[in-house]
Amino acid sequence: MIASTREQIEALTPLWQGERFEDGRPKVPDDLVKRMELVTTEEAWGVLRRNGYHHQFEAGWLNLHPEQTLVGRAVTCVFMPQRPDVQQVIQERGTAEGRIGGQNSWVIDTLVRDDVIVVDLFGKVQNGTFAGDNLGTSIFTKTQRGMVIDGGIRDTQRIYEMEGFGVFVRGLDPSAIADVTLMGINVPVRIGQATVLPGDVVLGTRTGLIFIPAHLAQEVVERSEDVRLRDQFGHQRLREGKYTPGEIDRKWSEAIEEDFAQWKTSRG
Amino acid sequence: MIASTREQIEALTPLWQGERFEDGRPKVPDDLVKRMELVTTEEAWGVLRRNGYHHQFEAGWLNLHPEQTLVGRAVTCVFMPQRPDVQQVIQERGTAEGRIGGQNSWVIDTLVRDDVIVVDLFGKVQNGTFAGDNLGTSIFTKTQRGMVIDGGIRDTQRIYEMEGFGVFVRGLDPSAIADVTLMGINVPVRIGQATVLPGDVVLGTRTGLIFIPAHLAQEVVERSEDVRLRDQFGHQRLREGKYTPGEIDRKWSEAIEEDFAQWKTSRG
Amino acid sequence: MIASTREQIEALTPLWQGERFEDGRPKVPDDLVKRMELVTTEEAWGVLRRNGYHHQFEAGWLNLHPEQTLVGRAVTCVFMPQRPDVQQVIQERGTAEGRIGGQNSWVIDTLVRDDVIVVDLFGKVQNGTFAGDNLGTSIFTKTQRGMVIDGGIRDTQRIYEMEGFGVFVRGLDPSAIADVTLMGINVPVRIGQATVLPGDVVLGTRTGLIFIPAHLAQEVVERSEDVRLRDQFGHQRLREGKYTPGEIDRKWSEAIEEDFAQWKTSRG
Amino acid sequence: MIASTREQIEALTPLWQGERFEDGRPKVPDDLVKRMELVTTEEAWGVLRRNGYHHQFEAGWLNLHPEQTLVGRAVTCVFMPQRPDVQQVIQERGTAEGRIGGQNSWVIDTLVRDDVIVVDLFGKVQNGTFAGDNLGTSIFTKTQRGMVIDGGIRDTQRIYEMEGFGVFVRGLDPSAIADVTLMGINVPVRIGQATVLPGDVVLGTRTGLIFIPAHLAQEVVERSEDVRLRDQFGHQRLREGKYTPGEIDRKWSEAIEEDFAQWKTSRG
Amino acid sequence: MIASTREQIEALTPLWQGERFEDGRPKVPDDLVKRMELVTTEEAWGVLRRNGYHHQFEAGWLNLHPEQTLVGRAVTCVFMPQRPDVQQVIQERGTAEGRIGGQNSWVIDTLVRDDVIVVDLFGKVQNGTFAGDNLGTSIFTKTQRGMVIDGGIRDTQRIYEMEGFGVFVRGLDPSAIADVTLMGINVPVRIGQATVLPGDVVLGTRTGLIFIPAHLAQEVVERSEDVRLRDQFGHQRLREGKYTPGEIDRKWSEAIEEDFAQWKTSRG
Amino acid sequence: MIASTREQIEALTPLWQGERFEDGRPKVPDDLVKRMELVTTEEAWGVLRRNGYHHQFEAGWLNLHPEQTLVGRAVTCVFMPQRPDVQQVIQERGTAEGRIGGQNSWVIDTLVRDDVIVVDLFGKVQNGTFAGDNLGTSIFTKTQRGMVIDGGIRDTQRIYEMEGFGVFVRGLDPSAIADVTLMGINVPVRIGQATVLPGDVVLGTRTGLIFIPAHLAQEVVERSEDVRLRDQFGHQRLREGKYTPGEIDRKWSEAIEEDFAQWKTSRG
């Protein structure tokens, strides 16, 4: 098998209690995916950290559209440098499973709406371009979201123009992908300093990418909505000069908490 | 003392003859700060160089808003990796001086309008985020100018949206500042290859940051205004094909100088 | 001689059968230069690769205007770190040849419309700024195209504002060029991992720079126009769901080719 | 399962026809392992290349003992940045399989004589030290060979002194391993630009590391023994001035081949 | 004052209860300095970590003599890029204090036996060579120990030959030190990721440099002497196969502790 | 012509008044080459600097034998990334000039005793190995000196064992040289930050490489012999404590000069 089985994914994500896709990936509800679009990287980071997840963020991306936020459910895959013995084994497995086209197409063929494809190409850019405009069009058409490539893309001028397509890569090159073998689909992958599981919620912003374990997505969204309110309140009070930054930038005093409660009520 | 005393700052900036802030920092006049906004990095660099200042420029920044120019008077501070013995000493000093909040707030609390805070965080980004949106809001509200962090910031999505806020940093991260100790306020700091004193005029552009000693600010502004006129003239004559680049790009001949003098007069 | 002679350039570019400039550089027809503006980096790369040219692309640029495409005919030059003995030899040669101004002006003086100056400054940025706004204005006025500097520029704020001026550099600095000697004009130069000849067509995009040997420019343009049609067709069919990405992203079947032929006819 | 099963390893190494360890790893004969000690990196590289294996070499190591050669059969493992959900799954699996001690001990416990442990720690050095002197002693005692860590070690002063212990790492640090989870034993691992399978023959020299697929080990050893003879002959003839480097450094002429045949015979 | 006063150093090192040099630096007893020579980097790191000191180690050095250990009491100093206004202030202060020679000599003149000079030259190597053979001879003659330069040295061929001289630098260059100003002597300095105080015990090995706060030196030495005994015992038992690495590489069982107690007794 | 003509080399080295090789290269006398072996990098650097040569040193080498000094007369050559049009031109020229073997052999065939080959391979290591053991043997046999490759070598294990062979490279790889074209022999080449001419004296030490223009070789040797005497005197006096480092490390006083004169006389 190239792809993890439903059983394997379930075994890796025992904390997820909700719905799953047929392939076993946790299916964070559409509603949470939608609300995640307003979450900041820091809010997600805070919830993850409180839950003991310290290695879910990765910076250092070429983000084609820093002005937009990328959100979606991770479909993962990993490539390694090609050696003929392994390549032959994988090709035979893929053929046996009825997969067609290049190995990168094998993963793309599994994508559904609101997925984000997350590809470990070990930072390879030259001869490491996971997608050009054909595959890019396909990824965007299927997911309406985007892609995270720890490697490169080609046909950038055209991919750049696909409005709403979220693209995080390490570099750009005109060459085609070569000399790599697809070692797994929906297995745990390492993207820089972060470990990503299938079904994680990807959140990509100007700051970088954070991968949110499915079972923490709800807490992230709800905390964010609370924090957003508190920030709004804090900034307003700072502008008004009612409190000092020192008072606002750490745990609020009881008085401030009361003020906040009143403010929250007063704005309905 | 965490902060330099007025006497210490005066001793370090003996060439400044003008007004000073109460804390001792040279107060380059508001008028010059305003006119500095039109100075280019190269014009400032030229005056500094002629005065023997060769190490006032630093490149390699993540400039959140390359389309705008950052100008202001430097308030400096320096952090070092934390060790408990020193941290305790500093905390006790700060408490004794009545400082409140986190150590980064100690500096921010001293800011006034037209200041630019200049922070040596030795390039630390992960756990090296000097400010998030709360402290960022406070810095911007107080200075109406911006910040230079040889380190990182967090809450970038929100800081990015504060219109007119000049932000030069080394990187972005969701983590909070940690494991560092504030070793001094308004001491000389090293920002990459440049040495910065409190009261220096910071000039940040698309090219990078240049730190102008207070006593040279007037010369910089005046030379710039002259150069600007000469460039305008030179470009016009190049477009007209009256002179070759070779003639314009080095010391002008007497004839060109005369032409310039007439041109200057003719435009009033 | 600082510059290659006509005979030397002809000897280096024997495959070019078309018109040449007086200085010997291949003169790819204006019509092809114009049509090249729509070619993507990948299309050019594909034709070059099929012809055995594997080292004509170079990434890693600071591209001042990523939203526009740079196209033009290369005028090349190379600098080396200065040593007085060589510097004196070169200056005497230049003087004997009637060249005036700084050595960088020697090259600029040779530029004509639709040229792109390609400068090997071995990545030097500090004291390695090939042009400021004076020379920049001159380059743009003469070529209406742009410049590729494996080094730096100064006066970036002003150069940035010259609309339509294509600028690929390695970095920005306020310093002036110093401590280098011009070793040749219109000689073969190495720009990173690529070798560039005078008369090559430069194609610069968001992805990077590709240097197209003059004798391949026509094939590049014509293939691109064909590919563009095929891509348009392929994307349309993918959006319609008529074919899978796997089918479109490799050699088309006979049926698809027929479909394409009909589509091409039907759109006139 | 943490470790690949015998069936999984067999499926990945179908070209190996010889003996296997109980765990499924190809067991290249002891005799070949021994003779491999005289093979150079270039000889192995040449045979691999002729067989289509282009990505088996990796440079950039801190080699504690460059004066000695490391040879042995690979036992592989891979770590990823820790996340609590995955860590818990792995710990439960390990416990269920009766594994004891830290996760790095799980692998070490499987080592036998002439193994070389090959660890993907994604280049982590700080908090990425796979072994100190205790585990180092254990690895050396069991294998009599060495270790390849794409990460760090600690207790270097003592490990350095273990005579005959081959050690290739990325860096040295006093910290202990932390914040990582063992994701697999005897799975394919990526070490920089190379893919390594369990049972590959590791060959480490002053030049770097090359990983030889088990089924090619015999060809490598035999070719090397032939090449060694030819080099000996070529160098002798170069020293004698009988042939030029140009003649010796490419395909030999028939005359030289004859000369070589006679020389080989004459030396018995 | 260029140098910290006795009062300033005392204020920074309140945890040190022992003897001090006249200049205020903690004077860790000669006996401890001597016994420190057998301590490993890891042993010191362990004690520091247990005491909450996480940032005292720095790697990435060019260590001229990796086969020897550098131990001594830190004398610190810090340089910054030169600006004429500050340089003049410092020179006048130095003159007023009766200091002679270049600014680097000012620090060297203060050295005594068993000191290690620790210099923050912000990694500068070209024009950043703190010492050549003259000053190197002087440093070695006075301290009999060595130097830690976060910068460069010159005359390396000769410094290399001074037997017993411990030298940790960032690089080698023939140029002389230039364009820097000495900003302080015996102030806290940042050496990479570590903060160093005057009087810290420097311990430099093949692994890197660790800076031990004076008040922890005794604990480090004593723990090391205990650990050394335990390691000796553990390795012996591993070689004997009495215990597994898993048993030895974590907290020992009661049985092992008893075994150790007996072994310790039996060896007298 | 691939190689510079005698006339071209003479034109580039007009300051050399002495003997030349038939190919035009300055032939610094054998006696000076021999005496150069005792010169340090700093002594050469000092003389070059006083003569206005500031860019003749280059660091960052992998020096196979740091314990020995490399000295010899430079034979230079430069490679560029291959493009078929240029490669064909060069091959035809080489054939016409009667050159045989690979292009790297073309240069090696010109070497004579006491030469050092200096190769600009633009830092390429993978597929950028200028020599293996065959060509290495040839270079060493002909020159008895060594090679400077701004690129890689292969067969390092064997090259390492050639006693007395000086080897400065950028890296090691098992691959063969490929995809490059030899663009010139005995032309000026850039090696990192230095410009090298044919006939320069190469001086390679533990510190790095310095390239001494032929016409300055005598001054370098003679100054070195004087400096060596002065250093010997200075160190002796420092050890005796007669003078302070401050006195010795700058311009000597008249009294010291007199002391030196007497000392020089007294030692005969």
Side-chain angles (χ1 to χ4, degrees), chain E residues 132-139 155 162, chain F residues 231 234-235 238 245 248-249 252:
Chain E
D133 58 356
N134 280 339
L135 293 183
T137 298
S138 175
I139 293 169
D155 294 328
M162 299 179 192
Chain F
D231 279 0
H235 293 183
L238 279 172
I248 287 295
D249 205 43
W252 290 355

Side-chain angles (χ1 to χ4, degrees), chain B residues 204-240:
Chain B
T205 70
R206 196 177 285 281
T207 300
L209 283 160
I210 196 157
F211 303 96
I212 302 162
H215 69 281
L216 294 175
Q218 182 167 351
E219 185 180 340
V220 164
V221 166
E222 290 176 353
R223 273 291 294 179
S224 164
E225 291 169 351
D226 181 63
V227 167
R228 219 170 305 147
L229 226 50
R230 286 169 177 272
D231 279 1
Q232 202 176 332
F233 167 80
H235 292 183
Q236 182 180 317
R237 287 295 187 260
L238 278 171
R239 275 192 304 272
E240 297 163 2

